[in-house]
Amino acid sequence: MSELLRIENLSIDIQGADSRKSLIKGLNLSVDDLQTVALVGGSGGGKTTVGLAILQLLAPAMKISEGNIFFSGKNLFECSQKQMQEIRGNDISMVFQEPLSAFNPVFRIGSQIAEVLQIHTDLNRKQIKNRVLELLDLSEVSDPKRVASYYPHQLSGGLRQRAMIAQAIAANPKLVIADEPTSNLDVTIQARILALFKKIRKELNISMLLITHDLGVVKFLADRVFILNEGRVIESGATNTIFENPKESFTKKLMELI
């Protein structure tokens, strides 16, 4: 397998009112083609910050103090804003933790998925309309036409998550970053969404960076695991190895929560 994403010695600080705090400290991580890698840690530990740094969507108070991020051999920190706009959605997309806040509340779901296709493909209006329905169907939405006509607040949590997955895969990205993709769903819906991720990864040949606190999710989806604690990767390896022989006490505590 060839390397798709490589994060080298990434350090991120957050600027407070009177001081600067180190959030991510010298993080190294890689994702190969067709691989799912999990970045695991506790709440507030900086996991989501790493995903946003890849897409250069960090909040103004957050500053990258050191490191590089390479995607398909290209240093993303050397890309212009225009180049990053082309990469986002087209090559790398993100499934956010809370779709209700990620979707624009004043536009219908179908229109928001269509916008990705308008920006990143050469499809005409009719083709885009049909493709939106195909993407919702691929994401196991039972009535794609109806769901496409709804506003985000009119959908259940599970349907919103499926719609966000449809939007994320619209332009056939190479990498999907999934940030706590099941954390706000009940157990039954969680299982279905995880099965959907596994299906889509296989059918579309997508690599994934899974950001989560839940090792149960990791065990189901991930090939490799990086354990993040207090801004540092304290343990990493193949999923089976980490589960069979966790070395760090923090990892063992996360295991107890499964």
Side-chain angles (χ1 to χ4, degrees), residues 152-175:
H153 73 273
Q154 293 177 293
L155 301 180
S156 66
L159 273 177
R160 276 196 298 270
Q161 193 67 298
R162 292 176 193 278
M164 176 149 283
I165 292 169
Q167 186 183 53
I169 64 173
N172 294 317
K174 296 176 184 175
L175 175 69

Side-chain angles (χ1 to χ4, degrees), residues 140-183:
E140 298 180 353
V141 172
S142 59
D143 192 346
K145 193 171 183 180
R146 176 179 60 85
V147 169
S149 71
Y150 280 178
Y151 293 95
H153 73 273
Q154 293 177 293
L155 301 180
S156 66
L159 273 177
R160 276 196 298 270
Q161 193 67 298
R162 292 176 193 278
M164 176 149 283
I165 292 169
Q167 186 183 53
I169 64 173
N172 294 317
K174 296 176 184 175
L175 175 69
V176 171
I177 302 169
D179 184 14
E180 299 282 10
T182 61
S183 64

Side-chain angles (χ1 to χ4, degrees), residues 85-126:
Q85 286 170 359
E86 292 172 356
I87 288 169
R88 291 186 207 114
N90 189 35
D91 294 313
I92 308 173
S93 63
M94 191 161 183
V95 177
F96 293 91
Q97 182 173 355
E98 181 39 71
L100 188 57
S101 59
F103 278 122
N104 190 319
V106 301
F107 293 105
R108 299 179 192 273
I109 290 293
S111 298
Q112 297 189 59
I113 299 172
E115 184 180 15
V116 178
L117 296 167
Q118 288 163 0
I119 294 170
H120 295 294
T121 74
D122 297 323
L123 300 177
N124 62 38
R125 185 177 294 182
K126 184 178 180 181

Side-chain angles (χ1 to χ4, degrees), residues 32-51:
D32 291 341
D33 282 323
L34 310 182
Q35 187 180 54
T36 295
V37 168
L39 180 60
V40 183
S43 178
K47 306 183 303 297
T48 297
T49 302
V50 175

Side-chain angles (χ1 to χ4, degrees), residues 29 31 35-40 47 175-182 194 197 207-214 216-222 224 226:
L29 179 151
V31 181
Q35 187 180 54
T36 295
V37 168
L39 180 60
V40 183
K47 306 183 303 297
L175 175 69
V176 171
I177 302 169
D179 184 14
E180 299 282 10
T182 61
L194 290 176
F197 271 113
S207 300
M208 285 182 61
L209 175 59
L210 177 65
I211 297 170
T212 184
H213 69 282
D214 188 340
V217 172
V218 171
K219 192 172 187 179
F220 187 79
L221 279 180
R224 287 183 59 79
F226 291 77

